[in-house]
Amino acid sequence: LPRAPATPPVPRHPLTRGRTEAARVTLSLAPGQAHHVALEEAVGNTVPVQITEKEQYADGSLKRATLCFISEDVPSMGYKTFYLNPEAEVSNDKQVNHGKLENKFYKLEFADGGLQSIYDKELDEELIDPSKFKGGEVFTMRSIGNGAGEFAEVQQPDMEGFDKTSNYQVHWDLKHSGPVYTSWKMRQAINHAVVEQEVILYHELKRIDFKINILNWEGILFREFRFAMPLKMQ
């Protein structure tokens, strides 16, 4: 297969143990070089790849593309090389059910403010208790802080101005769907800011990512924002 660019994606790993990780790389391509892309390992095995962001030339070919793929078994203190095949067409379609996500590891159920359920198929267990907070829910409290040298005493927040995303009717939208992962995203205003959250479920990696942004901050002093993961356990 033709391989490009000359410098292929090379995830590096500085730790003293092997690692399997979701990797992202942004490539710049020449006009007409590729309309679709695929990745393969040095030994020739095809690696599922998903384009998460892209910019195109006038002819529809890729100008810049951010690829996501699972980099398996990267050796400790080492690296692993992948090669781009610009001629292969890869479908980013993945069937999803509205309000629910499922793979071989988890079943997720969305609700106002976060996840109503994270069911672990391997353990055959529900992982969260959503009675007070949803899984991944963001909430805000007042936190005045300790600026006069009382660093031996950790200041505790209080409930002044408390608010949380499950106080509102939240709308979740499908953001990405492909062979590597599926993600849903919501955006909700709470006291003094807007919470934007994306929940990412990988298909071949037992892991769930929560990406959170606090936007449109009003500049109110003494506020903190927390992320809840109410585990169903003693």
Side-chain angles (χ1 to χ4, degrees):
L1 297 175
R3 291 178 172 184
T7 303
V10 183
R12 301 181 186 277
H13 178 43
L15 302 181
T16 56
R17 56 177 174 80
R19 187 178 186 185
T20 295
E21 182 63 85
R24 284 176 171 79
V25 61
T26 299
L27 303 176
S28 295
L29 303 169
Q33 183 178 1
H35 286 75
H36 311 281
V37 294
L39 280 182
E40 62 180 28
E41 297 175 312
V43 295
N45 296 329
T46 300
V47 178
V49 62
Q50 186 167 335
I51 298 178
T52 61
E53 297 178 11
K54 65 181 179 180
E55 182 181 353
Q56 295 173 295
Y57 292 104
D59 64 356
S61 62
L62 295 173
K63 182 177 182 180
R64 288 174 59 86
T66 299
L67 311 181
C68 179
F69 58 97
I70 304 301
S71 180
E72 292 189 7
D73 301 324
V74 180
S76 63
M77 307 296 289
Y79 61 90
K80 191 172 184 179
T81 304
F82 296 84
Y83 294 93
L84 178 69
N85 174 8
E87 293 186 347
E89 179 172 355
V90 178
S91 171
N92 271 357
D93 294 332
K94 193 82 175 182
Q95 188 174 11
V96 296
N97 295 320
H98 181 68
K100 296 182 180 181
L101 273 181
E102 182 174 351
N103 65 7
K104 62 184 179 182
F105 304 114
Y106 297 108
K107 291 181 182 179
L108 308 184
E109 183 177 346
F110 292 85
D112 291 338
L115 294 176
Q116 177 73 24
S117 173
I118 302 177
Y119 185 81
D120 189 312
K121 293 183 176 180
E122 291 182 333
L123 298 178
D124 194 22
E125 291 280 352
E126 172 62 49
L127 300 185
I128 63 172
D129 175 5
S131 58
K132 295 182 179 179
F133 290 99
K134 302 298 187 291
E137 181 167 3
V138 176
F139 60 98
T140 182
M141 307 172 75
R142 184 172 70 169
S143 178
I144 294 178
N146 52 3
E150 318 92 328
F151 301 117
E153 298 293 332
V154 178
Q155 181 268 339
Q156 298 298 317
D158 60 46
M159 297 295 287
E160 176 71 25
F162 174 82
D163 200 7
K164 59 181 181 176
T165 51
S166 64
N167 285 340
Y168 306 90
Q169 189 172 8
V170 172
H171 182 72
W172 290 90
D173 291 307
L174 177 66
K175 183 178 182 182
H176 293 291
S177 178
V180 179
Y181 70 87
T182 301
S183 70
W184 287 70
K185 185 177 181 179
M186 71 89 168
R187 181 183 173 102
Q188 178 60 50
I190 63 174
N191 285 347
H192 312 306
V194 172
V195 176
E196 188 177 79
Q197 180 173 134
E198 182 181 4
V199 178
I200 301 172
L201 183 67
Y202 297 94
H203 304 307
E204 298 298 328
L205 190 63
K206 191 175 184 183
R207 178 172 127 186
I208 305 168
D209 283 352
F210 294 81
K211 296 175 62 178
I212 298 172
N213 291 313
I214 305 297
L215 307 174
N216 299 350
W217 173 243
E218 295 177 358
I220 305 299
L221 296 179
F222 310 128
R223 303 304 306 174
E224 74 174 33
F225 292 83
R226 295 191 177 192
F227 167 91
M229 189 55 65
L231 299 179
K232 187 178 181 181
M233 60 185 298
Q234 298 298 318

